[in-house]
Amino acid sequence: MSDTALENETSASGENGTRRDFLYVTTGAFAVVGVAGVVWPLVDQMNPDASALALASTEVDISAVESGQSITIKWRGKPVFIRNRTDAEVEAAKSVPMDELVDPQEDVDRAVEGRENLLIMVGICTHLGCVPLGDAGDFGGWFCPCHGSHYDTSGRIRRGPAPLNLAIPPYEFMSETTLRIG
Amino acid sequence: MSGHTSSYDPQNGAMKWLDKRLPLPRLVHDSFVSYPVPRNLNYAYTFGGMLSIMLVIQIITGVVLAMHYVASADLAFNSVEHIMRDVNYGWLLRYVHTNGASMFFIAVYVHIFRGLYYGSYKEPREVLWILGVVIFLLMMATAFMGYVLPWGQMSFWGATVITNLFSAIPLFGESIVTWLWGGFSVDQPTLNRFFSLHYLLPFMIAGVVILHVWALHVTGQTNPTGVEVKQKSDTLPFTPYATIKDAFALVVFFVVYSWFVFYLPNYLGHADNYIPANPLVTPAHIVPEWYFLPFYAILRAVPDKLGGVVLMFGSIAVLFVLPWLDTSKVRSASFRPTYRVFFWVFVVVAIVLGWLGSKPAEGGYVIASRIFTAYYFAHFLILLPLLGIFEKTKPLPNSITESVLGDSDSKGGSAMPSGAAASPETKG
Amino acid sequence: MTTFLTKTVATATLIIGMAFSGTAIAASELHVEEQDWSFSGPFGKFDQAQLQRGFQIYTENCAACHSLSLVAFRNLMEPGGPGFSEAEVRAIAAEVSILDGPDGDGEMYDRPGRLADRFPSPWANEEQARASNNGAYPPDFSLLAKARAATRGFPTFVFDIFTQYQESGPDYIYGLLTGYSEDVPDDVQMLDGLHYNTHFMSGVQIAMAAPLSDDQHEYSDGSPQTVDQYARDVSAFMMWAAEPHLMDRKAMGFRVLIFLLIFAGLLYLTKRKVFASVKH
């Protein structure tokens, strides 16, 4: 500051100083609020946009899925497995004792009552997001080739690094043959 | 970036440690805190700071828009509409960016005219000025290519017309245009490369801005008197004095900017750009964005293709040699009564040229364009060299301090209410 | 000296501007009359009932030829728009058939519209549209209210900055829809299949026949069933279709401006304090 025209700086003490400090703090606070207000649109623009949110539900015709078959459809850009399980598979899933499960959940909680054969799951391994293979693994269900996670016929994690069962998306049966996911 | 002795004094161990290894805080302190600026700067001098903020705003909103934009001839138009309709705050970001371009040019024109008024281009600031003209050219290229991206009718036909300017070059013209297009008309390859360059050029601008500020800090600012800083009492530290003044001016500028973004977002644009590009139909009146209009008028004033292009580029090229065309020893127009009149006439000529650029190229408009184009060049090539020889200038103050204190003494010694007092004719 | 100069400059600009604007006005024949719109000005808002009526006119009258390709059914229930309920919009969408597919057999199929679908075009492609319309292409409605504007001469375009005039598009559309006339002047030689309209941008002959007539559409809210009202409503609807976030924008703009003005005031006071001890 020595090489400029500041001859006599007013002292910051006393009532005058307090009033000045108040002004400085208020102005500074406005600057902070202004910057914060600008930041939010810049952050929020990366969230899913209105057109992506509108695609949040998908309708599927399941009449062609025979017992023992499965189809994969796309919901929100992710694969959803729809498997029409055989009675044997359902039986196998129901007979597993809870204490053998990493993420304990009854098979009845993973399907809709009355249509237990239909298993609808997000086909994303809960480990790091790969898509597991069907009809594979040591438990007759799904097997993730990326890091070796085994899922049973109810899509529950049995062995491997994945921490959770395959997720069940929100869905409802619109009619006997139409399913709405999301 | 500072020519004066450093007054940076690191307070704690960590800052001392850093100062020995990377004296970045020292650079910032010396350039933007303790850096001495003339004490009599008025609001016309706040536009340089504004411009750097505008560059930052354009880069940030541009990067964000590029996250949603698709540079494809089939998808570009709809991707912009997707931003406007579906992306969260997309309409805001896009309007801030498009109107930001206009605000950028408003600020740069005030900045340039301030330089012309106060003789900021004169020795020893020639390089500073030339770097400024380089920034101006880069800005024009960036703005032009940005305008092409929405792929509306004006985008497409603007791109066609402007790239065709190069076909005026003898012998190689056609090949150059084909090379620019990457095809035989403006099409997908053109759009894609324009997007790439539109993303690149702002960072090149930022690089030249650093050189521009560096050159500024070597020679120091001019000031409304045009008298160089001679003593300590001529200056004030950049912070808080220039900082707070720049901040106030910036927020006032933002008020104008917001007025356009929120209430008149399409005022400065052209309605035809909301029609998707159609290579088979040219709009009835094609006009560039407002900030190119004076140059567009010069282009159309000449009945010869090559001549028009040469004159248009010449109208900017003449700025490069301005420091040597102005022969006057006195820097500021405040002490050059005759130049001051011609300066304002030049401002009016530039504005009228802009208005002529928006009119169809027919009848009286063409004749008027020719007269005003001739005056534009005469101002630089005839008036400025002659004025330096014949003009009777007013006596200069001995120093900035004398001009400031003498002025206030004559008004009874009271402190002046605001900074604009030093030169009221420049409202900035 | 200074005031003298400023005045001189201002006067010179004005005189030069006026001199040229005279010719400018004479050159363009198009006259667009400014209408009162609920959405103009800093506090402008869309009138929901009007947008719903405009949508009714669009579907009953215009949609047979004019697409609305950038607007999705879900937009009809979004805030700041016509304000239909979700059930109403689902019903509107379900009435439209959307080409989807391919299905498992590789065939394309029609299905009822859903919320996420955009309005389907009445034409398969532009060529078909032209073939059915005497060579003219009925423009898409999504952006038309922003894509049409009349030239505003000097000094009007300067005043527009302060009056915030941004309604050139709907003004033009309203003018066009009400600008048909049977009284063709003798010096106009009408071409086959074209219709006389004094408010058309490119000449006085337009391919579209007068689309509206009194009592053509039944309004359930008791609004007048006149060409004037129909034209007004559909123009407002088109403005919304072109700028669906208009209300958001104006409301946010007001808050931003208030904030900036207070902030500027504080900065000015701070600046005065900072400079209080220094003559400059």
Side-chain angles (χ1 to χ4, degrees):
Chain A
M1 302 253 172
S2 55
D3 53 354
T4 55
L6 290 181
E7 296 99 3
N8 45 357
E9 247 206 288
T10 25
S11 79
S13 62
E15 200 184 306
N16 202 11
T18 321
R19 211 184 311 143
R20 192 176 61 181
D21 288 346
F22 175 73
L23 179 64
Y24 288 178
V25 169
T26 318
T27 311
F30 259 73
V32 171
V33 170
V35 170
V38 165
V39 166
W40 175 241
L42 294 169
V43 172
D44 193 34
Q45 55 86 21
M46 294 201 359
N47 276 318
D49 61 51
S51 62
L53 292 174
L55 291 172
S57 72
T58 309
E59 282 165 29
V60 201
D61 180 6
I62 49 171
S63 57
V65 189
E66 305 278 339
S67 182
Q69 287 187 338
S70 28
I71 58 168
T72 304
I73 56 119
K74 205 163 99 173
W75 172 67
R76 285 184 163 179
K78 295 186 282 200
V80 169
F81 297 150
I82 302 172
R83 179 161 179 86
N84 193 345
R85 297 184 291 182
T86 61
D87 293 340
E89 284 173 345
V90 177
E91 212 41 55
K94 281 185 172 164
S95 63
V96 179
M98 282 302 110
D99 54 6
E100 281 185 20
L101 294 176
V102 181
D103 178 19
Q105 193 179 23
E106 296 281 1
D107 185 65
V108 287
D109 296 333
R110 294 178 60 78
V112 172
E113 205 183 330
R115 305 198 69 165
E116 285 90 352
N117 287 37
L118 278 172
L119 182 63
I120 292 131
M121 303 183 300
V122 176
I124 298 282
C125 179
T126 57
H127 181 219
L128 291 171
C130 296
V131 179
L133 305 169
D135 286 324
D138 296 351
F139 299 87
W142 287 264
F143 172 68
C144 182
C146 290
H147 307 98
S149 293
H150 298 259
Y151 298 89
D152 66 14
T153 54
S154 188
R156 292 171 299 199
I157 179 66
R158 300 298 289 274
R159 191 174 344 120
L164 298 172
N165 304 332
L166 291 176
I168 308 289
Y171 65 88
E172 60 176 321
F173 291 98
M174 310 287 286
S175 69
E176 198 59 24
T177 57
T178 317
L179 174 73
R180 189 170 76 185
I181 302 171
Chain B
M1 279 197 237
S2 164
H4 69 119
T5 15
S6 178
S7 65
Y8 179 64
D9 182 22
Q11 290 304 307
N12 59 51
M15 294 309 273
K16 281 181 181 140
W17 183 89
L18 182 62
D19 191 49
K20 288 212 178 72
R21 287 156 181 84
L22 180 72
L24 184 65
R26 176 181 297 275
L27 180 73
V28 171
H29 179 90
D30 293 346
S31 307
F32 302 107
V33 179
S34 69
Y35 175 72
V37 293
R39 61 190 294 173
N40 58 340
L41 295 186
N42 59 35
Y43 279 104
Y45 285 81
T46 59
F47 281 80
M50 259 179 229
L51 283 162
S52 50
I53 301 290
M54 283 314 298
L55 179 63
V56 171
I57 291 176
Q58 290 302 85
I59 288 181
I60 291 175
T61 51
V63 166
V64 158
L65 287 168
M67 294 181 187
H68 305 279
Y69 173 76
V70 184
S72 147
D74 294 329
L75 303 173
F77 187 87
N78 282 359
S79 76
V80 170
E81 277 306 310
H82 167 69
I83 291 170
M84 292 294 290
R85 287 159 193 271
D86 294 335
V87 172
N88 303 320
Y89 295 104
W91 60 268
L92 176 64
L93 296 165
R94 196 239 171 172
Y95 279 152
V96 165
H97 194 71
T98 50
N99 285 287
S102 283
M103 293 299 137
F104 210 146
F105 275 95
I106 289 176
V108 90
Y109 282 131
V110 175
H111 192 63
I112 291 172
F113 277 110
R114 189 269 293 154
L116 292 175
Y117 189 87
Y118 291 118
S120 305
Y121 46 85
K122 288 184 188 226
E123 191 268 320
R125 296 183 181 81
E126 300 93 332
V127 172
L128 172 61
W129 172 263
I130 288 169
L131 286 168
V133 181
V134 170
I135 294 171
F136 181 49
L137 277 175
L138 286 172
M139 273 177 67
M140 292 173 100
T142 312
F144 159 65
M145 286 190 272
Y147 192 60
V148 175
L149 302 184
W151 211 239
Q153 274 289 68
M154 280 293 163
S155 302
F156 183 89
W157 292 101
T160 301
V161 168
I162 300 300
T163 46
N164 262 316
L165 291 180
F166 294 92
S167 70
I169 299 169
L171 294 176
F172 308 108
E174 287 299 326
S175 335
I176 290 174
V177 173
T178 313
W179 174 77
L180 283 173
W181 287 341
F184 301 98
S185 65
V186 172
D187 208 339
Q188 175 63 46
T190 329
L191 175 62
N192 232 339
R193 65 192 58 179
F194 277 20
F195 179 51
S196 168
L197 293 173
H198 181 70
Y199 207 123
L200 168 71
L201 287 186
F203 296 96
M204 293 178 63
I205 293 177
V208 186
V209 164
I210 289 171
L211 297 181
H212 190 67
V213 174
W214 185 8
L216 173 72
H217 285 203
V218 168
T219 61
Q221 257 122 332
T222 55
N223 65 85
T225 63
V227 179
E228 292 288 353
V229 168
K230 289 173 180 160
Q231 57 210 10
K232 286 175 183 177
S233 66
D234 287 346
T235 64
L236 290 168
F238 190 91
T239 302
Y241 295 94
T243 329
I244 192 70
K245 199 163 179 170
D246 281 2
F248 171 61
L250 179 71
V251 172
V252 171
F253 186 70
F254 279 169
V255 170
V256 179
Y257 188 1
S258 304
W259 186 266
F260 279 96
V261 167
F262 293 105
Y263 294 131
L264 295 157
N266 297 304
Y267 177 84
L268 296 162
H270 198 289
D272 279 2
N273 224 27
Y274 281 110
I275 303 170
N278 181 351
L280 303 180
V281 182
T282 308
H285 295 293
I286 74 162
V287 280
E289 292 289 81
W290 69 267
Y291 37 80
F292 293 138
L293 288 173
F295 306 103
Y296 195 58
I298 292 174
L299 169 76
R300 299 189 309 179
V302 188
D304 175 69
K305 186 173 179 178
L306 180 61
V309 175
V310 166
L311 228 54
M312 188 186 73
F313 284 109
S315 64
I316 299 164
V318 74
L319 295 174
F320 282 108
V321 288
L322 173 62
W324 296 276
L325 290 172
D326 185 349
T327 51
S328 176
K329 295 276 180 292
V330 176
R331 197 173 273 130
S332 167
S334 304
F335 302 97
R336 298 182 61 188
T338 324
Y339 171 68
R340 191 158 65 195
V341 174
F342 282 113
F343 169 83
W344 287 111
V345 171
F346 180 73
V347 172
V348 173
V349 166
I351 292 171
V352 172
L353 271 175
W355 182 77
L356 286 167
S358 76
K359 291 290 153 196
E362 51 197 39
Y365 297 129
V366 178
I367 298 164
S369 297
R370 285 182 192 155
I371 296 167
F372 283 96
T373 301
Y375 186 88
Y376 180 99
F377 283 98
H379 176 83
F380 290 108
L381 300 174
I382 300 169
L383 285 171
L384 286 185
L386 291 182
L387 271 180
I389 300 165
F390 296 108
E391 186 176 35
K392 193 166 158 32
T393 57
K394 291 202 255 179
L396 294 173
N398 286 320
S399 70
I400 295 169
T401 310
E402 186 196 275
S403 103
V404 171
L405 297 181
D407 201 12
S408 67
D409 283 343
S410 67
K411 285 179 184 170
S414 62
M416 270 178 270
S418 79
S423 181
E425 66 263 64
T426 309
K427 297 199 171 66
Chain C
M1 181 64 186
T2 309
T3 41
F4 168 76
L5 262 177
T6 324
K7 275 182 188 166
T8 320
V9 170
T11 324
T13 321
L14 208 65
I15 291 168
I16 295 164
M18 303 272 260
F20 286 110
S21 63
T23 45
I25 290 163
S28 69
E29 296 284 329
L30 183 70
H31 44 104
V32 173
E33 279 158 38
E34 286 179 40
Q35 305 297 324
D36 278 331
W37 299 107
S38 66
F39 47 83
S40 66
F43 306 107
K45 286 182 172 57
F46 286 120
D47 173 355
Q48 280 200 351
Q50 182 172 47
L51 294 190
Q52 296 202 359
R53 292 196 303 271
F55 176 67
Q56 180 191 347
I57 303 297
Y58 169 72
T59 41
E60 292 176 8
N61 197 321
C62 325
C65 298
H66 293 278
S67 55
L68 190 62
S69 59
L70 296 171
V71 178
F73 291 109
R74 64 183 158 81
N75 295 139
L76 294 171
M77 62 192 213
E78 281 166 5
F84 288 108
S85 71
E86 182 173 339
E88 284 171 310
V89 180
R90 280 188 189 281
I92 291 167
E95 282 174 28
V96 175
S97 86
I98 303 280
L99 186 67
D100 203 344
D103 62 12
D105 302 321
E107 303 291 331
M108 301 302 277
Y109 58 93
D110 283 317
R111 59 161 176 78
R114 298 179 195 141
L115 292 183
D117 290 320
R118 294 183 192 276
F119 280 80
S121 171
W123 313 107
N125 47 55
E126 186 178 330
E127 286 69 20
Q128 189 196 40
R130 283 190 190 278
S132 316
N133 288 284
N134 203 10
Y137 179 54
D140 183 84
F141 269 13
S142 322
L143 280 168
L144 213 54
K146 287 201 288 189
R148 295 287 183 274
T151 322
R152 310 272 288 178
F154 181 86
T156 323
F157 74 79
V158 180
F159 301 148
D160 286 348
I161 296 176
F162 302 98
T163 60
Q164 302 185 350
Y165 179 73
Q166 283 270 280
E167 290 76 37
S168 190
D171 283 345
Y172 169 74
I173 293 164
Y174 168 84
L176 181 84
L177 290 172
T178 54
Y180 284 91
S181 168
E182 295 297 323
D183 310 323
V184 183
D186 293 336
D187 57 333
V188 175
Q189 196 62 45
M190 291 301 293
L191 295 168
D192 199 30
L194 295 186
H195 309 272
Y196 185 68
N197 189 324
T198 49
H199 287 64
F200 186 39
M201 207 164 243
S202 352
V204 290
Q205 308 196 30
I206 182 169
M208 175 172 72
L212 298 168
S213 56
D214 287 346
D215 286 320
Q216 187 184 7
H217 302 277
E218 199 159 328
Y219 277 155
S220 58
D221 65 354
S223 299
Q225 300 180 165
T226 56
V227 168
D228 181 85
Q229 189 64 39
Y230 295 152
R232 219 171 272 282
D233 293 346
V234 81
S235 305
F237 172 75
M238 288 168 71
M239 186 66 210
W240 167 78
E243 186 81 1
H245 295 292
L246 179 142
M247 279 167 62
D248 243 9
R249 163 160 68 74
K250 292 190 172 182
M252 187 191 289
F254 186 69
R255 295 198 299 272
V256 168
L257 277 174
I258 295 292
F259 173 86
L260 286 176
L261 287 171
I262 297 173
F263 191 24
L266 284 169
L267 279 169
Y268 179 69
L269 294 175
T270 310
K271 198 223 98 184
R272 267 179 55 156
K273 289 269 190 213
V274 167
F275 277 88
S277 58
V278 196
K279 291 196 179 75
H280 57 283

